Amino acid sequence: MNSEQTLPLLDIALLQGYVDSLGKNIVEQMFALYQQQAKVYLADIKKAQVADDSQLWQEHCHKMKGASASVGLLQLHKQLVALEKSTASQAEKAECLLVLENENQLAINAFQDWLNLD
């Protein structure tokens, strides 16, 4: 991902707003749900890649894009914005999926670190 500036992994303002209005326990539950859903989304994206189905690829990337935005995962969301409309080959999408899985794990780790700061 080559961009002039790198986005932070997390939207701290959004997440702190959630904690302030909903409480840390609810944010932890939201995050746990995201983690469960991300596994499903990644599996679905992989199935679409293996089947070389661009429509399913787009649909599943779109779902994960919305989920990542809702829990403030800025870099992951930006990556999914690009992947959703990608016209890359099946092999290129396989590489993109590996990067996506790694970015998702980095975002999850950052979120967990942030939650544990209190």
Side-chain angles (χ1 to χ4, degrees):
M1 200 152 93
N2 295 332
S3 63
E4 307 83 48
Q5 66 180 40
T6 303
L7 283 174
L9 287 173
L10 304 178
D11 183 342
I12 300 299
L14 174 73
L15 298 176
Q16 192 59 54
Y18 285 163
V19 170
D20 293 346
S21 62
L22 303 171
K24 187 175 179 181
N25 189 42
I26 297 296
V27 174
E28 289 171 339
Q29 290 175 32
M30 287 171 52
F31 183 58
L33 179 61
Y34 169 79
Q35 289 181 83
Q36 291 173 357
Q37 284 303 118
K39 290 176 187 171
V40 173
Y41 296 143
L42 287 168
D44 288 343
I45 292 168
K46 184 174 181 82
K47 286 178 195 168
Q49 180 274 321
V50 169
D52 201 15
D53 188 324
S54 293
Q55 182 178 348
L56 284 178
W57 171 273
Q58 183 175 349
E59 288 174 17
H60 297 310
C61 286
H62 181 79
K63 289 177 186 177
M64 189 168 181
K65 178 184 76 173
S68 67
S70 71
V71 292
L73 306 181
L74 291 175
Q75 279 188 22
L76 187 64
H77 177 263
K78 182 179 180 181
Q79 184 180 11
L80 284 156
V81 167
L83 289 179
E84 178 183 6
K85 301 296 182 189
S86 175
T87 56
S89 71
Q90 184 179 19
E92 291 168 327
K93 284 181 178 174
E95 291 176 26
C96 291
L97 181 58
L98 291 174
V99 172
L100 180 64
E101 290 169 336
N102 186 52
E103 290 286 328
N104 184 64
Q105 191 57 55
L106 288 173
I108 286 172
N109 293 347
F111 197 114
Q112 287 172 327
D113 289 347
W114 177 80
L115 270 177
N116 293 328
L117 287 177
D118 285 341

